[in-house]
Amino acid sequence: MRLRSRKARGSWKSRSKRTLIAAALTTTIVAGTTGWAVGNEQQPLTGPPPGTQAWRTDHTWGVRLPDPASTTPARVAAFFDSLSQAQQHRLAARHPSVVGNLDGAPTALRFEANSQSLKVERARERARETNPRLTLQDHERARSLVARYEDLLSPGRQILAFDPRGRGQVAEVYGDLSDASHVSVVVPGSDMDLGTFDRSKDEYGTPAGMARSLHASAGDDTAVVAWVGYTTPVGLGPDAATGRLADAGAPRLARFVQGLTASGTPRPAVFCHSYGSVVCGLAAPQLPASDLVVLGSPGMRAESVADLHTSARVWAAKDESDWIGDVPNVELFGLGHGEDPADPGFGARRVPAERAEGHTGYFAPGTDSLQAFAAIAKTTSSTVSDHGTAGWAPAADASPTGERP
């Protein structure tokens, strides 16, 4: 008993010391970058999709359309099931920006609606390119957006969500979502938006690059969704150190995943990178996920797996060369994101990452982490009921790790 008391006191002293150091470091960083950080403070995009007001006042068929802000994805799915194919297509043509972002609407219909929305936005920006009343900077911005929209309209791309407001948000599917045996969702961290979603620089640090790599490794029976559906932090200012943007993004993620399952997909494995793991941690109680996999995480705003209040299996990966390991794992006065999910005491299952390099190398081909991610992504939905069992692992021929928590 005395030994346990000494250990408890030692642990408390260690945590207190770590908290004080973290507070001093955080205060210094924030004070030293105030001007830079304030200039990069992001206003989160919240609320229903663009075009919602016109949707709400459309009584063409003598029925009230499901409110994008308050109707559950399951009820949205039931509403579309009650329509004929012709009615669905007419609705998408009248309100593409709503249908394209309406969680619970049929997948193929959302692809169709978002294609139309992209064409509308492309035409708008083409007009701005030569508008004499705009500045040269406006013209350059318009040209950039035209190129961006044309790229997203390339044949074969499957855009499941598209919102041009703010920095822009997008979700893209890799694989056949309507017929997949397994589904995964990738949630990115800082600096991701419509423009950086699939940039060529640092490919495996982008949501598109991570999703493509996972799909290639997991195989054609697995569909992967790259989701940039929340306002991410820019740089390393206070936005990245607090949960403000994650608080705004968590309900959007939860609703998006609920929309997938309401549309008939299997419960997905959700892969959360960096600040995206903060979003996933806050969304966890409402996420109908089979697995939560965090990588390069600064914390999930939870002290342990139990504090996530999720029935999903929880996994964590962190390689030794990842700079995130230098970030103090505390939460004090709203700064910091809590315990390290890769710490054994957190209770997550370990994902090996010895061959991953840096903060954005976890999905790189040939890494042990990618191999493990693919094995997790391919676990069958029938094993979901086993998520609370500490000894669970994927099938022996595809096991991510031999270790157990």
Side-chain angles (χ1 to χ4, degrees):
M1 188 65 142
R2 241 178 238 169
L3 181 59
R4 281 202 299 272
S5 296
R6 283 197 208 103
K7 284 183 177 179
R9 285 196 298 272
S11 176
W12 180 85
K13 288 179 180 177
S14 175
R15 285 197 302 272
S16 298
K17 183 178 180 181
R18 190 155 48 100
T19 299
L20 290 172
I21 292 172
L25 285 173
T26 305
T27 301
T28 301
I29 291 170
V30 173
T33 61
T34 298
W36 177 87
V38 169
N40 285 273
E41 185 178 58
Q42 303 297 301
Q43 294 306 311
L45 186 62
T46 58
T52 293
Q53 186 57 39
W55 169 275
R56 285 171 172 161
T57 57
D58 187 343
H59 303 299
T60 303
W61 296 339
V63 297
R64 178 176 295 179
L65 301 178
D67 191 320
S70 59
T71 306
T72 66
R75 288 188 176 275
V76 169
F79 169 78
F80 277 93
D81 284 343
S82 72
L83 303 179
S84 67
Q85 288 290 315
Q87 288 174 321
Q88 289 185 11
H89 290 300
R90 283 201 297 272
L91 202 54
R94 288 172 64 87
H95 304 281
S97 59
V98 172
V99 174
N101 295 286
L102 192 56
D103 298 313
T107 297
L109 196 66
R110 291 181 67 170
F111 293 157
E112 175 187 322
N114 285 317
S115 178
Q116 184 174 333
S117 291
L118 282 162
K119 290 173 182 176
V120 169
E121 290 300 317
R122 181 180 61 181
R124 190 196 315 276
E125 295 303 326
R126 278 178 174 165
R128 287 171 55 83
E129 276 187 90
T130 55
N131 187 331
R133 290 175 297 179
L134 299 179
T135 66
L136 291 176
Q137 186 176 14
D138 291 330
H139 292 167
E140 181 58 34
R141 167 71 174 164
R143 280 192 290 273
S144 176
L145 286 172
V146 167
R148 172 81 288 217
Y149 297 149
E150 287 181 342
D151 191 27
L152 292 174
L153 283 165
S154 299
R157 299 197 74 164
Q158 304 176 100
I159 307 303
L160 189 60
F162 165 65
D163 191 334
R165 295 176 298 175
R167 287 159 49 205
Q169 298 183 355
V170 63
E172 184 172 12
V173 177
Y174 299 86
D176 186 352
L177 188 60
S178 63
D179 197 40
S181 299
H182 316 286
V183 173
S184 292
V185 176
V186 173
V187 181
S190 297
D191 302 310
M192 292 297 126
D193 52 35
L194 187 68
T196 57
F197 168 77
D198 55 355
R199 67 187 179 197
S200 56
K201 181 183 178 182
D202 192 20
E203 177 184 1
Y204 300 112
T206 69
M210 289 188 277
R212 277 195 299 264
S213 184
L214 180 59
H215 178 248
S217 186
D220 289 340
D221 63 342
T222 300
V224 185
V225 184
W227 180 81
V228 185
Y230 79 105
T231 303
T232 67
V234 172
L236 295 175
D239 278 348
T242 67
R244 184 177 65 90
L245 295 181
D247 280 329
R252 298 173 73 85
L253 174 61
R255 186 178 177 87
F256 178 78
V257 176
Q258 290 165 12
L260 292 180
T261 56
S263 301
T265 71
R267 290 173 63 177
V270 181
F271 293 81
C272 317
H273 179 236
S274 194
Y275 190 85
S277 65
V278 186
V279 179
C280 289
L282 294 174
Q286 285 78 44
L287 273 182
S290 62
D291 296 85
L292 276 179
V293 188
V294 298
L295 44 141
S297 173
M300 300 181 76
R301 298 244 149 187
E303 294 298 306
S304 68
V305 167
D307 289 336
L308 294 173
H309 303 290
T310 178
S311 61
R313 295 173 289 253
V314 181
W315 305 79
K318 185 171 70 175
D319 75 76
E320 291 184 356
S321 63
D322 190 339
W323 58 260
I324 204 75
D326 296 328
V327 175
N329 289 108
V330 296
E331 185 180 348
L332 184 70
F333 306 129
L335 293 169
H337 304 298
E339 294 298 318
D340 180 1
D343 188 285
F346 190 81
R349 293 164 171 81
R350 186 184 72 85
V351 174
E354 282 74 21
R355 295 201 297 273
E357 294 184 7
H359 189 56
T360 57
Y362 295 94
F363 283 88
T367 56
D368 46 355
S369 49
L370 176 60
Q371 181 182 6
F373 295 160
I376 294 168
K378 290 177 69 66
T379 57
T380 62
S381 58
S382 64
T383 63
V384 169
S385 62
D386 182 48
H387 48 248
T389 304
W392 182 89
D397 60 348
S399 179
T401 174
E403 292 192 9
R404 303 286 184 269

